[in-house]
Amino acid sequence: MINNAKVAVVGVGNNTSALVQGLAYYRATGSEVGVHRPSIAGLGVGDIDVVAAFALSDDKVGKDLHEAIFAPPNNVPALLPSLPPAGVTVQRGLVDETGADRVVAALAGAEVLLYSAPSGRPETARAYAAAALRAGVAFINTTSDPVARDSSLLDAFAAAGLPLIGDDLASQFGTSVLHRTLLRLLDERGLTLTSTYQVNLGGTEDFRNLVENPNTKKQSKVNAVGSDKVQMAPLGYLPQLRSQKVAHINVEAQGWAGTPVSLEVRLRVDDPSGAAGVNVDLIRVAAAALRSGAGGYPAEAAALLKSPPGTAV
Ligand SMILES: NC(=O)c1ccc[n+]([C@@H]2O[C@H](COP(=O)([O-])OP(=O)(O)OC[C@H]3O[C@@H](n4cnc5c(N)ncnc54)[C@H](O)[C@@H]3O)[C@@H](O)[C@H]2O)c1
């Protein structure tokens, strides 16, 4: 029997809620609906144990993980009628190097640290990455802050034989993946791109934070689409959308003899679920790489990220 992957999570927000609930859902139902890869290195979707969790809010610290994931401002819907206690008590996290010893000690028994705090706080991201390095665990940066794009950090993880995955996860079926695919199709069919833009609206705490603090996210979204012609409208926070994201993609192109071709696409998805569907793969890729002694960046992760190493910061 395979040993479950042991993951610690930073941030008990919507994405962690969707992930933790989804793990319980897939274990309970045995379903494979919505699963990208049923098995990675022998690890199934349910073969992941959350062994530690870090948060800052007093509504979450000290609570059982299965209670904390429903504390506001989290607003991802419940996937199961009820969840028994997880047996994992949420611990206070860190914002800089202060408190790092406590976090390093709490990572004993974990193989992977999934960093799922708000984007736009690169110092905090680096402090957790340093703690993972000291604890000897793999690190996944799901935020748009540069961690895997920092060559000194990547070298340090590689030298220690520890995987480092990042930056910024690309949702399972989100605007980035759809937009990139449309532009590739245009190219494949011989059309010439004239201009293209994206509009993203959402009602989560992530959107609220990114509207106020868009610094690292905008470039990461451009990296994900892979065209220097793409324009990103400022993100819109609309609380009534709750965990739903609504995106509009516009593509203007030229076809035969310069005749115009215009495309408008509207996508509506549950945003944290799109993140969970990718985090479940990233965790298993990280655990498998760690177990095989492969440090540094696993190339297998590239398709699941907006800004892998080598892309612009
Ligand atoms: N589809 C997606 O949802 C998607 C896609 C790509 C990237 N991301 C990124 O994933 C990350 C998580 O998204 P989310 O929707 O769960 O965000 P969220 O705001 O719901 O959750 C983040 C949580 O981290 C907590 N936190 C803040 N500072 C912390 C610290 N120093 N230590 C521990 N916890 C801390 C916050 O209190 C909050 O509960 C964000 O950076 C987001 O930009 C999300």
Side-chain angles (χ1 to χ4, degrees), residues 110-156:
E111 297 176 286
V112 178
L113 183 58
L114 179 75
Y115 182 67
S116 190
S119 292
R121 302 174 188 182
E123 294 306 320
T124 305
R126 275 196 285 275
Y128 276 109
L133 197 52
R134 279 177 56 198
V137 307
F139 190 78
I140 302 170
N141 175 33
T142 70
T143 79
S144 53
D145 297 337
V147 175
R149 281 170 291 168
D150 177 331
S151 56
S152 61
L153 270 174
L154 190 54
D155 290 348

Side-chain angles (χ1 to χ4, degrees), residues 10-84:
V10 174
V12 182
N14 266 329
N15 286 1
T16 294
S17 179
L19 174 70
V20 167
Q21 291 191 64
L23 294 177
Y25 173 89
Y26 284 109
R27 279 181 186 166
T29 62
S31 166
E32 287 186 356
V33 171
V35 172
H36 178 216
R37 294 179 64 184
S39 175
I40 295 179
L43 290 162
V45 180
D47 297 336
I48 294 174
D49 294 336
V50 180
V51 297
F54 303 97
L56 287 187
S57 145
D58 288 338
D59 291 334
K60 292 171 182 167
V61 174
K63 302 265 166 63
D64 183 87
L65 180 62
H66 282 177
E67 183 186 350
I69 54 175
F70 295 108
N74 291 9
N75 57 7
V76 66
L79 292 175
L80 290 167
S82 64
L83 278 177

Side-chain angles (χ1 to χ4, degrees), residues 9-17 54-57 60 73-74 91-96 115-121 124 128 142-144 168-172 204-207 209-210 217 245 270-276 279 306:
V9 292
V10 174
V12 182
N14 266 329
N15 286 1
T16 294
S17 179
F54 303 97
L56 287 187
S57 145
K60 292 171 182 167
N74 291 9
Q91 305 180 49
R92 188 164 296 282
L94 46 83
V95 288
D96 53 30
Y115 182 67
S116 190
S119 292
R121 302 174 188 182
T124 305
Y128 276 109
T142 70
T143 79
S144 53
D168 203 6
L169 70 91
S171 282
Q172 193 175 1
T204 60
E205 179 63 9
D206 183 35
F207 265 85
N209 170 58
L210 291 171
K217 196 64 164 195
K245 177 172 73 178
D270 184 74
D271 209 21
S273 298
N279 277 333
K306 288 195 186 85

